[in-house]
Amino acid sequence: MTHKNQVIHRTNNKPILYDLYFNPSNKPKPLVIFCHGYKGFKDWGCWDLVAERFSKEAIFFAKFNFSHNGGTIENPIDFPDLNAFAENNYSKELDDLNAVIDLLLSKDFNYYHDIDPNNVTLIGHSRGGGISIIKTSENKRITKLITWASVSDFSSRFGSTDAILNWRIAGVKYVLNGRTKQQMPHHFQFYKDFKDHEERLHIESAAKQIKVPSLIIHAKGDVAVKFSEAEALKSWSAKAMLIAIEGSNHVFGASHPWKSNVLPNQLKYVVEQSIDFIKS
């Protein structure tokens, strides 16, 4: 059963768009919540095929768009809302993820009886990995953590001192989206919010606090997020296991759009390892 483009309406915040994949049964299933990365979205590339594969293994799989990722309810893919993108920050993404967790684990949720509330795994890709690490450290309802090509530090991604000063003066900086060719804006509030919540947003500290089993999967050839970041996460996480992927990249051989009906071999391996970890 697939429920696409469901909406969490929030009184004082932007709505969150989400998808559900599961096979209905009388038996509660492990819940997986997937967090996309920077300039990402729930419908990117192979993520639908990934969701389908998990659901075939009697896993309840949910994926969602962060509320300020630049998509809209009408167009969740091509970043029509750059004003929202400019106002995104890590704190908002943590709040979004919490709203998704609250919904799925609420007894009022339509499919609550299909979910085992004592078996909840977060999977985060790239920047979504960092968000998932922090959320796992602070939310006791999470029982397992999986990161795919995760970042290990947020602070280093803001650039040099001079770059931050120029950003402060201009009030905005732009990053090219290679697929859509959009110049995507970041308002300086992004950095200010990080500095205001720097202790909470310190991934190393969060990783060291995690007590639940964790799986780190990372390609050795990743040029977007170096493999050394996975090694750092492993060194900080007492209960973490690291799987290195040879001959792959930041998205494990996938791309957008993805026109095949099968997963690329590297991503298939990542998914199978993740399923085994959840079921172990």
Side-chain angles (χ1 to χ4, degrees):
M1 182 175 289
T2 302
H3 295 276
K4 292 278 290 183
N5 297 323
Q6 306 297 295
V7 184
I8 303 175
H9 294 285
R10 301 187 292 173
T11 303
N12 298 315
N13 295 289
K14 287 179 68 63
I16 296 171
L17 205 60
Y18 68 95
D19 300 337
L20 304 175
Y21 290 74
F22 64 100
N23 290 323
S25 69
N26 294 326
K27 184 178 179 180
K29 290 166 280 295
L31 170 64
V32 168
I33 302 173
F34 177 78
C35 304
H36 68 74
Y38 177 56
K39 292 188 288 186
F41 45 97
K42 66 179 180 61
D43 300 299
W44 184 90
C46 298
W47 296 153
D48 282 349
L49 290 176
V50 167
E52 290 170 5
R53 181 69 191 94
F54 275 89
S55 68
K56 287 178 181 177
E57 292 294 330
I59 292 171
F60 193 109
F61 192 97
K63 55 188 175 73
F64 68 100
N65 280 349
F66 287 107
S67 64
H68 286 69
N69 79 325
T72 62
I73 292 175
E74 296 76 20
N75 182 354
I77 293 176
D78 290 327
F79 306 111
D81 193 352
L82 291 182
N83 289 327
F85 185 87
E87 288 297 315
N88 196 20
N89 57 52
Y90 300 127
S91 295
K92 287 177 180 174
E93 293 193 350
L94 286 167
D95 288 347
D96 290 346
L97 177 51
N98 214 66
V100 172
I101 295 169
D102 284 347
L103 171 74
L104 298 176
L105 296 183
S106 166
K107 292 183 179 179
D108 295 328
F109 180 54
N110 286 343
Y111 308 106
Y112 176 77
H113 295 293
D114 283 286
I115 292 172
D116 179 357
N118 298 309
N119 193 339
V120 180
T121 300
L122 293 186
I123 299 180
H125 176 251
S126 194
R127 174 162 137 180
I131 294 296
S132 297
I133 291 166
I134 293 169
K135 183 54 63 180
T136 299
S137 75
E138 62 186 25
N139 193 314
K140 302 307 179 185
R141 294 175 291 180
I142 309 306
T143 58
K144 286 186 178 178
L145 168 68
I146 302 174
T147 61
W148 295 351
S150 177
V151 300
S152 64
D153 175 65
F154 285 146
S155 63
S156 63
R157 287 170 163 77
F158 288 112
S160 66
T161 301
D162 286 345
I164 293 171
L165 177 60
N166 291 335
W167 186 13
R168 182 193 299 271
I169 293 169
V172 63
K173 70 175 181 179
Y174 295 89
V175 176
L176 176 66
N177 185 312
R179 179 178 67 87
T180 66
K181 308 307 178 186
Q182 292 165 293
Q183 290 289 343
M184 304 187 74
H186 292 289
H187 290 162
F188 190 70
Q189 64 80 28
F190 186 15
Y191 181 73
K192 185 178 184 301
D193 178 81
F194 172 76
K195 295 302 291 184
D196 288 345
H197 303 95
E198 193 165 7
E199 184 175 346
R200 182 191 187 195
L201 297 172
H202 192 240
I203 295 174
E204 177 180 351
S205 298
K208 289 179 176 178
Q209 294 173 19
I210 292 174
K211 306 300 182 185
V212 302
S214 302
L215 175 63
I216 302 161
I217 306 181
H218 210 111
K220 283 193 170 181
D222 191 336
V223 296
V225 179
K226 300 295 186 184
F227 185 73
S228 57
E229 299 207 44
E231 294 175 312
L233 291 175
K234 174 68 173 70
S235 71
W236 301 331
S237 304
K239 291 193 173 183
M241 177 172 63
L242 172 60
I243 296 178
I245 307 296
E246 301 284 354
S248 191
N249 58 12
H250 187 56
V251 288
F252 306 110
S255 60
H256 185 86
W258 186 257
K259 297 182 180 179
S260 172
N261 61 359
V262 297
L263 292 170
N265 288 336
Q266 301 99 321
L267 183 54
K268 181 180 178 182
Y269 180 75
V270 168
V271 169
E272 298 303 326
Q273 291 297 310
S274 299
I275 290 170
D276 288 346
F277 178 74
I278 291 167
K279 289 189 164 186
S280 65

